[in-house]
Each structure stands twice: as C-alpha cells, then as structure tokens.
Amino acid sequence: MSEVKNMPKHWQVKKLAEVCTYSKGKMPQVLEEGKSKRCSIPYINIKAFEKGIFAEYTNGIKCNLCNDDDLLMVWDGADVVYLVKQRKVQWVRP
C-alpha cells in the first residue's frame, strides 16, 4: 500500500477492512415506484445519490438496510464513485 503525499505524520494508511465493516447492497425482492403502505423504505439508487431523489421504495425484505451515521458508497466494479454519510439525508460527495 502506498503512502499518501502531504499526509499528517500522526496519520496512518490502513485498508478499509481494518477500520470498518462493510457489506455490498442487494437488490430488494420487492421494489415499487412511489411510496406505499406496502413499500415505505426508500431504495437508494444512483438517482438518490446524484440528486437526492427517492423514486423507488421497498418493504425491506432480502436487502441491506442502512442506519443513521452509516457511510454509504456506490461500489460498482473497481470504482468508488460516491460517498454518502447517512444522517437525515445529508449528502457528501468526494
């Protein structure tokens, strides 16, 4: 692992797995456009990351759910495109 230029001396370079736990998201078993009584949990897709617009909802079965203060990232292939801190939908872009 290479060192980061201009990094403060008291910092350390670590692998992601050394400082947190992570899990890849899964496509929900049930997904509907628009919020309903049956599907009231927002599904976080690329549109939600880019624009903060939640258009699809799930019932939460067979999918990963996030909690307040979770750090979310789009992890598609080798690229990490977006990082988002989940706290009442406050979006943070790298």
Side-chain angles (χ1 to χ4, degrees), residues 19-78:
V19 296
C20 68
T21 58
Y22 59 90
S23 64
K24 297 219 23 156
K26 297 178 181 178
M27 179 64 94
Q29 184 175 354
V30 176
L31 194 60
E32 295 180 355
E33 293 217 13
K35 189 174 184 177
S36 68
K37 203 174 215 182
R38 176 181 140 161
C39 293
S40 60
I41 301 169
Y43 177 64
I44 302 173
N45 57 17
I46 295 295
K47 187 176 185 178
F49 270 96
E50 290 179 340
K51 299 180 180 177
I53 298 171
F54 296 94
E56 297 176 301
Y57 292 80
T58 182
N59 60 4
I61 296 173
K62 298 216 177 194
C63 61
N64 291 344
L65 300 176
C66 59
N67 299 302
D68 283 351
D69 295 324
D70 282 352
L71 179 68
L72 309 180
M73 65 179 126
V74 174
W75 188 345
D76 190 13

